[in-house]
Amino acid sequence: MPRDNLNELTAFLAVARERSFTKAAAKLGVSQSALSHTLRALEERLGVRLLTRTTRSVSPTEAGERLVRTIGPRLDEIETELAALSELREKPAGTIRITAGEHSADAILWPALERFLPDYPDIRVEIIVDYSLTDIVAERYDAGVRLGEQVARDMIAVRIGPDMRMAVVGSPAYFATRPKPRTPQDLTDHNCINLRLPTYGGLYAWEFEKAGRELKVRVEGQLVFNTGALRMNAVLAGLGLAYLPEEQVTAHLADGRLLRVLADWCPPFPGYHLYYPSRRQATPAFSLLVDALRHRG
């Protein structure tokens, strides 16, 4: 295949996947005008329109979708094999892209990277914090992080964290004027700090279990956030009850800034796992990072 043809196909895939000339140009390191010229040349050479362009969006035509399905996996395989050649280098190298939630990125990924990266200066890691259940293949991530119970069966899952527990907490000031809930149903009478997740399409229902009985309670309150840090600030300020990972509130429970309720309704559950496609050709850099993240407790 002539080199120009390969460059044109690579450019087309970038635009089709990003659905944006601006994002694709930035990713490829070229100007938007040069990218547009390349795509027009490809369409003229093939004699078929590959992209539908409007002032606000770009999307593949039927022919474009077919080309994405046909050549996308093949070019991805070529890229992976080229990356695997870093094994022949003295030091592992390459970029690893991981999607993860805020808590797993902060509690699991960051401590491991802080130890790992100084030993491998040629390895670059990109972490995208995202609460949605991202399709890592479609979005071209090398791996993702989810709770063990959320990992799809066709993925390889590597345990990277211990079992977890959730905790319902409030400040002493909050409980000074309100009785402590004795059952999850009592939460409907409390001002609760909600979490909005794109995956659930709305507010996250707090999950409980006791003696084999599972409950999901949709709580209400004055505040809704989509990050853990703001929920922590709000509960410490006495503005309501929060449902947070136990590990995040342990220090505040110990110093009395927070009080815990419904602990008997919050049993342990499988913690975080790194997951990636079973057909993925692992580069030396990726294998090293997986080993560094692996939970050995």
Side-chain angles (χ1 to χ4, degrees):
M1 177 187 294
R3 184 177 182 83
D4 287 347
N5 292 3
L6 183 58
N7 290 340
E8 288 173 350
L9 292 174
T10 301
F12 163 71
L13 273 180
V15 175
R17 285 169 166 167
E18 296 293 337
R19 304 294 176 107
S20 164
F21 274 91
T22 302
K23 293 180 180 179
K27 186 174 183 178
L28 295 172
V30 300
S31 67
Q32 291 186 50
S33 59
L35 182 58
S36 180
H37 177 77
T38 299
L39 267 295
R40 282 198 300 271
L42 176 61
E43 289 177 324
E44 289 174 5
R45 182 166 59 79
L46 296 178
V48 63
R49 191 173 184 180
L50 300 174
L51 296 168
T52 298
R53 304 166 175 83
T54 68
T55 55
R56 293 188 177 183
S57 66
V58 180
S59 61
T61 62
E62 183 179 354
E65 290 284 6
R66 179 177 175 180
L67 195 57
V68 170
R69 291 193 303 269
T70 303
I71 69 167
R74 290 168 173 78
L75 290 183
D76 289 344
E77 287 174 10
I78 292 173
E79 186 176 306
T80 299
E81 290 299 330
L82 290 174
L85 291 178
S86 63
E87 186 175 10
L88 302 178
R89 294 174 45 146
E90 229 178 275
K91 295 181 179 179
T95 299
I96 301 168
R97 300 182 71 237
I98 300 173
T99 175
E102 181 185 21
H103 179 246
S104 61
D106 183 61
I108 305 294
L109 297 183
W110 170 243
L113 290 175
E114 192 175 16
R115 298 187 299 268
F116 174 80
L117 289 178
D119 293 332
Y120 300 100
D122 293 329
I123 295 178
R124 298 179 299 277
V125 179
E126 180 179 349
I127 296 176
I128 304 300
V129 173
D130 186 358
Y131 278 111
S132 62
L133 297 179
T134 304
D135 183 339
I136 61 172
V137 175
E139 298 297 327
R140 304 190 73 196
Y141 286 103
D142 294 291
V145 177
R146 289 184 190 171
L147 295 172
E149 58 197 19
Q150 295 177 330
V151 176
R153 293 183 180 179
D154 61 343
M155 294 284 172
I156 293 176
V158 177
R159 187 183 182 94
I160 61 173
D163 282 353
M164 294 176 56
R165 290 184 71 193
M166 298 302 291
V168 179
V169 293
S171 71
Y174 176 85
F175 286 121
T177 58
R178 297 170 177 82
K180 293 181 179 179
R182 296 180 178 275
T183 68
Q185 291 91 335
D186 293 341
L187 292 171
T188 56
D189 297 325
H190 283 264
N191 194 0
C192 296
I193 302 162
N194 261 307
L195 172 68
R196 186 177 297 281
L197 295 178
T199 303
Y200 291 84
L203 300 181
Y204 174 68
W206 295 10
E207 300 178 66
F208 300 95
E209 182 180 346
K210 184 176 181 180
R213 181 188 178 194
E214 296 183 4
L215 288 177
K216 288 188 176 182
V217 180
R218 297 199 174 276
V219 298
E220 295 184 1
Q222 293 177 283
L223 290 169
V224 179
F225 298 113
N226 68 345
T227 70
L230 290 174
R231 285 184 292 148
M232 180 67 78
N233 290 343
V235 71
L236 288 171
L239 297 179
L241 300 182
Y243 182 78
L244 294 164
E246 181 182 63
E247 172 267 335
Q248 283 189 321
V249 300
T250 301
H252 296 310
L253 293 173
D255 64 19
R257 295 187 68 192
L258 292 177
L259 302 175
R260 184 173 188 174
V261 295
L262 303 176
D264 55 331
W265 280 91
C266 298
F269 56 89
Y272 291 117
H273 287 65
L274 187 81
Y275 68 97
Y276 53 93
S278 57
R279 63 181 180 277
R280 186 187 190 282
Q281 174 69 39
T283 65
F286 183 76
S287 297
L288 283 168
L289 182 58
V290 171
D291 190 59
L293 288 170
R294 192 183 304 273
H295 179 65
R296 294 177 171 82

